[in-house]
Amino acid sequence: MSTLPAQAAEAAEPSYEDCTALIEANAAKALAYARDWTAHGGGAAALHCEALALSALGEADEAAAAFSHLAEGMTGAPAAARAEVHAQAGNAWALAANLTKAEEALGEAIALAPSEPSYRIGRARVRALAGQWEGVRADASEALAESPSSVEALTLRALALRNLGYPKAAVADAERAVSIAPHNLEALLERGRVRAETGNVAGARADWQDVIRFARETGRSSDPSAQAAAAYLARPGKAGK
């Protein structure tokens, strides 16, 4: 995405395209641009760009509040657009470690767009952070009803089933997720966990070694899945939750 020179951006009439393009080059300038635009009647477009800029700057609390404020004011907008902003609010609240507000915002997104699997997956992730395993299983299952080959949903349901005490069902979901995406770090990590819990320690170690290898080969050695795999290999035979 190209960015207009700063002088041209300042001289031209503000636009959502220019504002969001500026985020990639300089999020702090984009935030200033958006706030100035908001002050001069930029409306929903300016507010959305402001929230995106705050997200890019790592200001999760402020971004979440901005997305939520915008979503609440979009009463006349199409349901799909409102759902997307509620989901963005939910993701930002999750990054801000406010799981209650994250779940509420994603619930609003689901209510507005019940057939969109990504919102179910997002709420499943939030519920997993809170240890709400029945909720994780329900959301992942609903997502799979809409998108049967979703690796994220399969991996999340495997995680939930393992924590609910259904290792055989968890193995089936984890195996399917890895068969669809053999290099997916989260899927491999979870299959390793389930294998360890069902006594297949050699298989678990092989999965965790693959996680580390694939992460290194793709420049993602700091990925949480790779770090977790390394921790499990340091204490073989134990599964993490």
Side-chain angles (χ1 to χ4, degrees):
M1 189 180 292
S2 61
T3 302
L4 293 177
Q7 301 93 323
E10 291 170 1
E13 192 72 20
S15 74
Y16 183 74
E17 290 74 18
D18 290 348
C19 190
T20 53
L22 189 55
I23 292 172
E24 190 175 324
N26 191 321
K29 283 187 177 180
L31 179 59
Y33 182 111
R35 285 178 169 168
D36 181 69
W37 187 18
T38 297
H40 290 85
L47 288 170
H48 192 244
C49 186
E50 179 179 342
L52 291 172
L54 286 165
S55 291
L57 289 167
E59 301 291 345
D61 282 289
E62 285 190 66
F67 281 125
S68 294
H69 176 69
L70 175 59
E72 289 163 7
M74 295 174 65
T75 53
R82 292 162 59 203
E84 183 178 358
V85 178
H86 276 297
Q88 289 173 321
N91 293 334
W93 283 125
L95 288 173
N98 191 326
L99 301 184
T100 299
K101 286 189 175 181
E103 186 172 349
E104 289 173 356
L106 285 158
E108 293 285 353
I110 291 166
L112 288 163
S115 62
E116 173 50 59
S118 66
Y119 303 152
R120 297 275 184 185
I121 290 169
R123 190 170 67 177
R125 287 190 177 280
V126 170
R127 287 176 164 177
L129 290 171
Q132 298 177 19
W133 301 118
E134 285 289 3
V136 175
R137 176 169 64 171
D139 275 336
S141 294
E142 290 286 349
L144 286 165
E146 297 293 337
S147 181
S149 298
S150 170
V151 173
E152 282 184 279
L154 285 165
T155 302
L156 283 162
R157 192 168 68 177
L159 171 65
L161 289 167
R162 176 171 61 82
N163 279 279
L164 288 167
Y166 302 107
K168 289 184 179 179
V171 167
D173 276 348
E175 291 281 8
R176 184 150 184 265
V178 174
S179 72
I180 294 168
H183 294 182
N184 185 282
L185 303 187
E186 282 188 292
L188 282 165
L189 178 71
E190 184 55 33
R191 189 175 71 173
R193 288 167 168 164
V194 178
R195 282 177 163 180
E197 285 202 1
T198 54
N200 184 357
V201 176
R205 288 180 62 81
D207 278 340
W208 295 334
Q209 287 166 348
D210 280 344
V211 171
I212 293 170
R213 178 165 60 87
F214 295 145
R216 184 170 53 244
E217 289 174 354
T218 55
R220 293 179 290 161
S221 293
S222 62
D223 187 283
S225 293
Q227 294 180 343
Y232 295 153
L233 287 169
R235 47 188 179 90
K238 296 182 181 180
K241 296 197 176 188

